Amino acid sequence: MSSLVVPPALLRWVAGIDVATAAGSAAVDVPDHATTLIVRTDKRELIVMGPRTRATYHIAAPGRSCVRVRLRPGRAQALLGRSLNGLADGVLPLGELPGLDIDRLAADPVAALEGAVADRPEPSERLEEAARLLADTTVSATAARLHIGERRLHALFTDATGLSPKHFARIDRLRTVLAADAGRWADIAATAGYYDQSHMTAEFRHFMGVPPAAFTAGRRPAATLCTA
């Protein structure tokens, strides 16, 4: 897998762009609170993949290739023009996406995306601000900082990300652990915002299927063949 540089014009919409070709070896898709645009370049198919709430371990047939565009919180709702409620752990096939040509997206993802969002209104920053706050504080404190009620915050997140604020924050903490450099698990747990190491271990097992020490040592659930 290779990552493309996201230019400044796309940073308000896109968190990352990857180009991947399956090699027939085991791979893992970790939980993610983001919504992702995927172009199957071998089939010229465009799909939207909602947030993933569990890790999946799989093997894809060699030669399959795709472009994956990971969108910033709330941007998928603006790009698709629809609520993401119910899209968690699901996929939405798209015959087309106005302003986004599939062939151009497969050939030059950056240029295609720049053209697609060039004339779109500036997306609201409220959802991203809420996401940043949730990384360091509680749902109730986040709602208070935004001067909205918790019920309103829940509705905002469910529509814009497909996840509740609490579920979004849990996945965010997990991803902090996955991205951490080697170190003491107790220190990593504290940095990620868990109560203690046992809390982190329980959450990691819930999302990844195995505890963190087993995962980093390569003792992972068996991969299944991806037939989609």
Side-chain angles (χ1 to χ4, degrees):
M1 179 184 296
S2 60
S3 297
L4 304 182
V5 175
V6 180
L10 281 180
L11 284 176
R12 63 194 180 109
W13 291 89
V14 174
I17 304 173
D18 296 321
V19 180
T21 301
S25 56
V28 55
D29 282 330
V30 302
D32 195 355
H33 44 46
T35 297
T36 304
L37 285 178
I38 299 177
V39 180
R40 284 280 304 276
T41 52
D42 53 331
K43 292 186 176 183
R44 289 301 191 268
E45 292 178 344
L46 177 63
I47 65 174
V48 175
M49 183 168 68
R52 297 188 301 272
T53 64
R54 291 288 196 282
T56 58
Y57 300 85
H58 57 86
I59 301 173
R64 290 185 178 179
S65 59
C66 67
V67 176
R68 303 197 301 186
V69 181
R70 187 171 180 268
L71 298 170
R72 292 194 177 280
R75 299 320 190 238
Q77 182 184 32
L79 193 62
L80 299 174
R82 54 153 287 172
S83 168
L84 300 188
N85 192 359
L87 194 56
D89 294 315
V91 296
L92 177 66
L94 294 177
E96 61 178 1
L97 190 59
L100 193 60
D101 181 81
I102 296 178
D103 290 331
R104 189 182 181 200
L105 183 58
D108 190 342
V110 172
L113 289 165
E114 284 183 313
V117 302
D119 297 325
R120 291 181 182 269
E122 185 76 23
S124 171
E125 297 293 330
R126 171 171 276 192
L127 201 285
E128 276 209 290
E129 183 181 0
R132 286 192 296 269
L133 291 170
L134 283 169
D136 299 311
T137 189
T138 63
V139 173
S140 59
T142 296
R145 289 278 296 277
L146 295 175
H147 306 290
I148 60 176
E150 288 187 51
R151 183 175 297 180
R152 173 57 184 150
L153 181 63
H154 187 282
L156 178 71
F157 260 83
T158 302
D159 282 343
T161 72
L163 299 169
S164 70
K166 184 176 180 180
H167 208 159
F168 186 98
R170 290 175 67 196
I171 294 175
D172 192 68
R173 284 194 296 270
L174 170 77
R175 290 177 66 85
T176 299
V177 175
L178 289 167
D181 293 330
R184 295 177 63 247
W185 288 118
D187 294 336
I188 293 173
T191 299
Y194 292 100
Y195 300 128
D196 52 28
Q197 183 177 337
S198 62
H199 180 211
M200 179 195 71
T201 299
E203 284 286 276
F204 196 99
R205 187 192 294 271
H206 170 81
F207 286 112
M208 302 298 296
V210 292
F215 181 83
T216 56
R219 299 191 302 273
R220 304 174 180 181
T224 58
L225 183 64
C226 180
T227 58

